[in-house]
Amino acid sequence: VVDFDALRACRCTRLRLCATNVKTGKPQIFTNEMMSPEVVQASACLPMLHRTVIIDAKVSLKAFANAHQAVDEAGRTTCIRQHLDSIRKHVASLSGKQYQRLTGFGSLDFVLLFIPIEGAFQLAVEQDPELLVHAMSRKVILASPSTLLAILRTIHHLWRMDEQNRNGLAIAKQAGNLYDKLVGFAEAFEEIGLRFNQAQQAWHTARNRLATGQGNIIARTEALKELGVQPAKDLPAALKQTASAQGESS
């Protein structure tokens, strides 16, 4: 059987089981209460990455068992051929059912076919060297007890690298946007300084027109006071001093 305890011990995975609904013939996720001995398919989930790997272990090993029980070489050869045919038929079946599409976004585009007996796996690949390539071409990866965890860890590592690359691109994009925002703020800040300088220059121009030059407005209004005009308010002393100095210099 699948060593679920070993898989759970792997920190990068958690497991949920799924099987084919016998009434509809369609794959379906099952809860613990719905489990039966026929349920032999699992999906290894990577919750931190929101990704899922479908693992199927429903291949028949009856022919493999018969091969070990054969009394002669001819019978053993026939059983081995049946064993290979059984695996190839199951590969074709998995390829046609496309279980990997069940989990939606985040799943691999292939299914892991787990052969739970190491000897059955080794016998198959020894007798049919093209079996692994054939299965891969059908989007099915063969795995055994000695390779399953290594395959899962490799997939997890590659997914982590992909996630980090995606995060790096997102960070680079956000950094570019932040830099553009800073450039816009700096340009606006410089524009404010320019406007302040222009306002100051305009203020100096207006003040000079008011209090400097021969016959300026300040000097002329002060002359009215000397003629007897009695206003309720008085002009700022700085303006009167500027106008008085301009009058003396002229």
Side-chain angles (χ1 to χ4, degrees):
V1 296
V2 182
D3 187 355
F4 292 123
D5 291 333
L7 289 177
R8 290 190 183 96
C10 180
R11 293 183 179 180
C12 67
T13 64
R14 63 178 174 86
L15 292 179
R16 65 182 181 187
L17 299 181
C18 58
T20 301
N21 188 308
V22 295
K23 294 182 179 180
T24 63
K26 296 181 179 180
Q28 171 182 329
I29 301 300
F30 278 74
T31 62
N32 291 335
E33 292 75 14
M34 299 168 63
M35 288 301 163
S36 66
E38 290 75 23
V39 176
V40 284
Q41 180 171 322
S43 59
C45 302
L46 308 179
M48 296 300 294
L49 301 180
H50 307 290
R51 305 275 182 100
T52 304
V53 181
I54 300 297
I55 306 170
D56 182 278
K58 294 183 291 185
V59 62
S60 174
L61 299 179
K62 183 178 179 180
F64 173 75
N66 292 337
H68 278 276
Q69 297 173 1
V71 296
D72 54 34
E73 189 63 27
R76 184 174 182 275
T77 301
T78 300
C79 291
I80 291 176
R81 188 181 306 110
Q82 292 173 350
H83 175 56
L84 297 177
D85 291 342
S86 176
I87 294 177
R88 281 184 171 263
K89 287 179 181 178
H90 197 66
V91 167
S93 176
L94 284 178
S95 178
K97 291 178 179 178
Q98 298 182 337
Y99 282 122
Q100 66 271 22
R101 294 188 177 182
L102 289 176
T103 55
F105 178 76
S107 62
L108 290 171
D109 61 350
F110 58 81
V111 176
L112 292 182
L113 172 52
F114 178 64
I115 300 177
I117 298 178
E118 189 69 32
F121 173 82
Q122 293 295 338
L123 178 63
V125 296
E126 288 174 3
Q127 295 295 322
D128 188 355
E130 301 297 324
L131 181 61
L132 294 177
V133 176
H134 169 75
M136 290 179 62
S137 68
R138 306 296 295 272
K139 297 187 181 300
V140 178
I141 304 297
L142 300 185
S144 68
S146 64
T147 62
L148 179 59
L149 286 180
I151 291 174
L152 289 178
R153 287 195 174 100
T154 301
I155 293 172
H156 178 256
H157 177 69
L158 293 175
W159 269 342
R160 284 292 298 272
M161 292 181 59
D162 178 66
E163 195 74 12
Q164 290 173 359
N165 290 337
R166 291 175 184 271
N167 290 342
L169 293 175
I171 291 172
K173 182 178 180 180
Q174 292 184 17
N177 292 337
L178 179 61
Y179 188 88
D180 292 341
K181 288 289 185 182
L182 179 60
V183 170
F185 176 80
E187 291 175 346
F189 194 76
E190 290 298 313
E191 184 70 17
I192 291 173
L194 177 63
R195 297 304 180 190
F196 273 135
N197 290 334
Q198 291 177 347
Q200 188 176 26
Q201 293 174 3
W203 177 81
H204 279 296
T205 300
R207 190 178 189 278
N208 291 336
R209 290 175 181 175
L210 182 65
T212 61
Q214 187 176 4
N216 62 74
I217 297 175
I218 297 298
R220 293 170 65 182
T221 53
E222 285 296 303
L224 291 176
K225 290 176 64 177
E226 295 177 358
L227 295 176
V229 174
Q230 297 181 352
K233 296 182 178 181
D234 200 8
L235 290 168
L239 285 176
K240 291 191 295 183
Q241 290 175 0
T242 301
S244 175
Q246 288 289 325
E248 293 176 357
S249 62
S250 59

